[in-house]
Structures are given as C-alpha cells and as structure tokens.
Amino acid sequence: MTSWSHPHHSSPRSSQGSGGVSVARKICYAVGGVPYQMTAAAMGVSLQIFLLDVVKMEAFYVSMILFVSRAWDAVTDPLIGYLVSRSNWTPIGKLIPWTVLSMPFGVISYVLLWFVPPGSVSQAFSVPWFLAATCLFETIMSCYDVPYLSLNMFLGGNQRDRDSATAYRMSVEMLAMLLASVIQGQVIAVYNTEKDGACQQLDQAHEISQSTASPHAASLHETRKAFLTSALVMGALFFLCTLVLLLGVKEQQSAPCSLQKVQVSYLTSLKLLVCHVPYRRLILGFVFTALAFQMSLGNFALFCSHVAGLGAQFQHLLLLLLAAASIAVPLWQAVLVRIGKKATVIIGLAPFIPAVIITACVPTNLSVFMIMCALMGFSLATMFLLPWSMLPDVVDDFSTRNPSCKDLEPLFFSCYAFCTKLAGGLSAGISTMTLHFVGYRAGACSHGDGVVTALIVLFSPVPIALLLVGMFFFRSYPINEKQRSQLQGHLTYLKVSCQSFHF
C-alpha cells in the first residue's frame, strides 16, 4: 500500500515512514489499556458481592447504585469525548495529557470505592457514599479511557497497523483481566473463609434458617482490609501503566489541511453519529453482545456458589476462562485477516450459546464446567477484539462521507465506550433487582429455589436471547472487506489532495 508523508506533519492515518508503527510503540499503547480493564474487571467480579455482603446493603440499593452510575456515564462519556475533540495541541499531544492528568484522581477515587467508612452500617450513610464514589470514579475513568481509546487513530500507520495495535491492546487487556481476577480471587477467598467460619458457628448453635440467616453479626474486618489492599495494589499498577503510555507512545498530529474543515457543535456531532448507518448497526450489535456477556459473567460468581456448588473453584474457573480468551485473541486476529472482520465476529460469538446451555444443564460437573469455560473464553475474545477492530473502519467511512467534519474521532470512541459501561450497568442493575424480587438476602448462608432458578435464567437463557439480537445487527453491518479497501484508497486520495493544498 502506498505510504504518504509530509516533511513537517504526519497524518493520523498515514504510514509512519515506510515502516509503519513499531512493535514497541504498539506494546506501550496496549499497556495503557490495563488500568481501565483491570479496574472494570475487579468491579465486575467483586463490587456486587462487596456491596451486598460486606457493606450489607439491600439488593434494591445496590441495583440503584450500579444503574445510576452507568446512567451518569450516559451524560459524561459523550460530553468528555466532545471536550477532548475540542482540546488544543500540547507538546506531548492532544489526547495523552488527558490520560496523564486523570491518573492521580483515578487512583484516589478507586481506593475510595472500596473504603468502608466508620458508621457506614447505616443505609442512610452508605448508599450516598458509595453512589457518589462510583459516579466519581466512572467520570474520572471516562477522562482517562476516552482519549486513550481515540489514540488508536493517531498512532500512525495504515489499517493493518491499527488492527495490529488493537490486537496487541486486547491481548494485554486480557492479561490485565487475568491479573485482576487473581487479585480479586484472593480477596473473595478471604471473604469465603470468614463467611464459612461464621456459618459453621451458627450451624453448630442451630440458629440458621433457609434464606434468612445472616452470619455477619460482626463486621468482616479481614475482608474489608483485603478489598482495600487490592485497591491500593491496582492503584500502583494504574500509575506504572500510565507512565509507560506517556514515555512509550508519541501521538501523531493531524496534517493541518484546511479544505473546508469545520468544528460542529456537540448536538450536531451526536446527530451525525446517530445518523451514520454503519456506526448505528455496529454500536447496536456491540451493546446487545456486551450486555449478553456481562449478564452471564456478571452473575458467574453467584452461579458458581449457589447453583453449581463450586464456590471454592470460582477463581480457578475464572482464570481458565480468561486464559482461554487471552490465547484466542491472536488466533482470531489471524482469522480476521484471512476471512474478514464481519464473518469472524459471527463465527466467534456462536460457541458462547452451547457453552452456557451445557453449563446451565449440568452445573455441578466440574470437568464439563471447565471445558465450557474455555469455550466461553474463546467467544469472549471475539467480543473484545472484533467490535473495537471494526470501529476505526466506521470512522474512516464517516470521514469519506463527511470530509468537512473535523476531529470527531474522540466522540466516536467515547460513545462506543459508553455503550460498554451502559451494558455493564444494565446487566448489574437487572440482575441485582431480579435477585431482590426472588428473595436474595445479603450474607445468607443458603438460598431457596427461587434464587437458584433466577441465577440460572440470568446466566443462560437471557444472555442467549441478547446475543442473538447482537449477532443480527452484526450480520446487517454494511462494511465488508471490499469496501474497506475502497475506503483506504479514497482516504489516500484525500490525503494527497490535502498535502497538495498545503503546499
């Protein structure tokens, strides 16, 4: 593919010299994705249990906190994306300053999220505290994650370089999820030990009754300490990964082409994005797919404990699932190069359906459960890699259809990131509300059939229905490999025209 360069400026979509983007730069870029993915994984695994059983908050209020925090993201994510797009260029770039300045606030707010203040046993105090802490953390992480994701378009290189950088990012983020699951698994192990000890004491005293007995007459001091320690460890990793991103990635500045480029208003920008058919189809497919996976995996810990009776093996099962996903990312990257992104996403998502069906039918068989976890991991890798790999193609398509619009890349990525968080909030909110209605009680040693049935439904049938809807939208996604080649040719033509105009 022809490479175009300028003696003073580099286009974000032009090749960085003749060699493209170096492997070292791709790795440093990928490391920048660790903080968000690691904290998100920790919250997905532990936050529901932390609020329900450690803080001892009622399920209704937990559901409200999880949902309201994501609704708050509905306002902040696109708005931050627009603010990033309007930012001025600095000596270290336009996007990287946002990530660097957000880092210290992100670390502090994440630690506060797992800190249980004295006197928080009162619902009147604990609910506002954790609601405010969650919304604050989500806002700060938007300031970090939105510019970071947009950086993919400004690394230099061509389509293949961008796809390769995305694959590097997903591989590293899978490893980050593995690390987070190991850390949180140790925390959950401390929690289970304290809870089991309390339950045994109650059992010996003949004081427990089904779905009503709570073993937590005293606070879980060791569990609280473990949650806070894990937050401090992840805060330190947050700092180190941001430092690697700052030192290892040089943001490429757009060529100052003035061919009728204009900055449109926030509402006009959102309208343009919503009306762009490829973006609309891709984002709908992504929302339903992410909602399906987060609905199933968000209830994974409770399913293992209360349905499968494999609570002691939860950490190992989760590690197996994430390890399979980490291995699968480069495999799916090789497949998409051969058969295209649209076909790969459909093929890769399909194995998730039989995996959750078989797991729900025979949950107590550990060997079958392990095999199905590996299969779910392969599908999870598809959900992580393909939609994010397809998004830059949509941005290119938009650029060719709306050449006068300027610097809307951050808004594309911010709305996409919001959809991930929205799916997580909806899945957590729906799940927790469902458990509230069927009689789940915080800290109970055992639960009735209603809770078990609800967990099975939330783990398998509901995610399958959502995934089928998502696959339908991916099937109707209009950009295929032929159109991708045409887009690349058209963008090259626009760059040449821009450079001729500049000269």
Side-chain angles (χ1 to χ4, degrees):
M1 189 172 291
T2 305
S3 174
W4 300 91
S5 62
H6 191 277
H8 302 294
H9 303 278
S10 297
S11 170
R13 301 183 188 106
S14 65
S15 187
Q16 186 186 349
S18 59
V21 183
S22 68
V23 173
R25 180 174 293 186
K26 292 176 184 176
I27 293 175
C28 291
Y29 165 71
V31 169
V34 169
Y36 175 79
Q37 204 58 244
M38 189 169 53
T39 55
M43 291 172 67
V45 169
S46 304
L47 187 59
Q48 188 180 38
I49 291 176
F50 175 75
L51 294 177
L52 283 171
D53 291 348
V54 178
V55 182
K56 293 190 282 289
M57 192 181 295
E58 291 183 13
F60 173 79
Y61 293 114
V62 175
S63 176
M64 181 194 71
I65 288 174
L66 296 175
F67 182 77
V68 169
S69 64
R70 295 310 194 274
W72 176 253
D73 264 345
V75 178
T76 59
D77 262 6
L79 182 59
I80 288 171
Y82 181 72
L83 293 176
V84 170
S85 70
R86 299 297 296 267
S87 300
N88 295 322
W89 186 265
T90 71
I92 61 171
K94 179 178 180 178
L95 305 174
I96 291 179
W98 281 82
T99 63
V100 174
L101 294 176
S102 299
M103 179 270 297
F105 300 103
V107 171
I108 294 171
S109 61
Y110 184 72
V111 172
L112 288 176
L113 187 62
W114 303 99
F115 175 68
V116 183
S120 63
V121 290
S122 168
Q123 299 265 21
F125 179 86
S126 62
V127 172
W129 169 270
F130 286 102
L131 177 61
T134 307
C135 289
L136 176 64
F137 176 72
E138 296 289 1
T139 302
I140 294 172
M141 286 310 294
S142 293
C143 293
Y144 178 91
D145 197 47
V146 167
Y148 166 73
L149 294 173
S150 306
L151 193 59
N152 179 271
M153 302 295 295
F154 296 87
L155 293 174
N158 53 28
Q159 284 183 345
R160 187 175 292 273
D161 288 313
R162 287 188 328 222
D163 291 346
S164 176
T166 300
Y168 273 93
R169 175 168 74 89
M170 291 308 167
S171 296
V172 172
E173 288 184 355
M174 284 294 176
L175 294 176
M177 291 178 68
L178 273 170
L179 179 59
S181 68
V182 169
I183 295 172
Q184 295 306 112
Q186 296 302 312
V187 175
I188 297 298
V190 173
Y191 159 73
N192 283 329
T193 300
E194 283 197 306
K195 178 181 175 181
D196 290 344
C199 285
Q200 287 175 6
Q201 291 177 1
L202 285 174
D203 190 33
Q204 291 170 0
H206 304 287
E207 293 179 1
I208 59 171
S209 59
Q210 188 174 8
S211 290
T212 58
S214 175
H216 306 317
S219 297
L220 298 171
H221 294 295
E222 292 301 318
T223 302
R224 292 186 181 193
K225 189 186 299 183
F227 272 114
L228 193 57
T229 302
S230 73
L232 292 171
V233 170
M234 290 193 186
L237 293 172
F238 197 153
F239 168 77
L240 292 175
C241 292
T242 307
L243 187 63
V244 170
L245 179 68
L246 173 65
L247 298 178
V249 176
K250 183 178 180 182
E251 185 179 339
Q252 303 295 299
Q253 188 174 9
S254 301
C257 180
S258 57
L259 291 174
Q260 303 165 339
K261 289 273 187 178
V262 295
Q263 282 189 325
V264 295
S265 68
Y266 176 62
L267 293 178
T268 302
S269 302
L270 288 178
K271 183 179 179 181
L272 287 170
L273 263 64
V274 171
C275 293
H276 190 59
V277 174
Y279 187 66
R280 191 166 64 236
R281 300 271 177 84
L282 182 61
I283 211 166
L284 284 171
F286 187 45
V287 166
F288 280 99
T289 302
L291 185 56
F293 277 88
Q294 295 198 44
M295 182 75 73
S296 185
L297 299 181
N299 291 287
F300 190 66
L302 293 174
F303 182 89
C304 289
S305 298
H306 302 302
V307 179
L310 299 173
Q313 283 76 40
F314 163 70
Q315 182 184 358
H316 304 101
L317 292 169
L318 184 61
L319 287 174
L320 175 61
L321 189 153
L322 294 176
S326 301
I327 295 170
V329 167
L331 297 179
W332 287 125
Q333 175 66 19
V335 171
L336 74 84
V337 170
R338 282 183 166 271
I339 67 174
K341 299 178 181 179
K342 186 174 176 179
T344 304
V345 73
I346 300 296
I347 294 171
L349 292 175
F352 181 79
I353 296 175
V356 293
I357 290 176
I358 294 172
T359 303
C361 291
V362 284
T364 57
N365 189 314
L366 181 59
S367 299
V368 173
F369 207 140
M370 292 175 65
I371 295 171
M372 293 305 106
C373 280
L375 195 58
M376 283 188 279
F378 269 75
S379 281
L380 180 65
T382 309
M383 195 275 292
F384 267 86
L385 175 64
L386 268 299
W388 287 105
S389 182
M390 296 160 81
L391 180 57
D393 300 332
V394 173
V395 178
D396 285 343
D397 183 73
F398 181 87
S399 299
T400 60
R401 296 175 186 272
N402 302 274
S404 62
C405 294
K406 180 182 178 183
D407 296 334
L408 289 185
E409 291 89 350
L411 193 58
F412 272 95
F413 283 86
S414 66
C415 291
Y416 215 55
F418 155 66
C419 289
T420 308
K421 299 173 185 178
L422 176 65
L426 285 174
S427 66
I430 293 170
S431 299
T432 312
M433 187 65 71
T434 302
L435 294 175
H436 171 72
F437 284 129
V438 297
Y440 181 92
R441 293 186 180 275
C445 294
S446 60
H447 295 281
D449 292 339
V451 173
V452 173
T453 302
L455 287 171
I456 292 174
V457 171
L458 291 171
F459 181 79
S460 182
V462 173
I464 288 172
L466 293 169
L467 183 62
L468 290 174
V469 175
M471 291 173 71
F472 168 78
F473 283 114
F474 281 131
R475 181 70 181 82
S476 63
Y477 173 70
I479 300 178
N480 54 32
E481 293 307 299
K482 181 179 179 181
Q483 288 173 300
R484 286 185 70 226
S485 299
Q486 293 174 347
L487 281 174
Q488 186 65 21
H490 189 67
L491 285 171
T492 301
Y493 171 76
L494 289 177
K495 291 167 194 170
V496 175
S497 300
C498 179
Q499 290 172 348
S500 299
F501 182 89
H502 184 60
F503 281 122

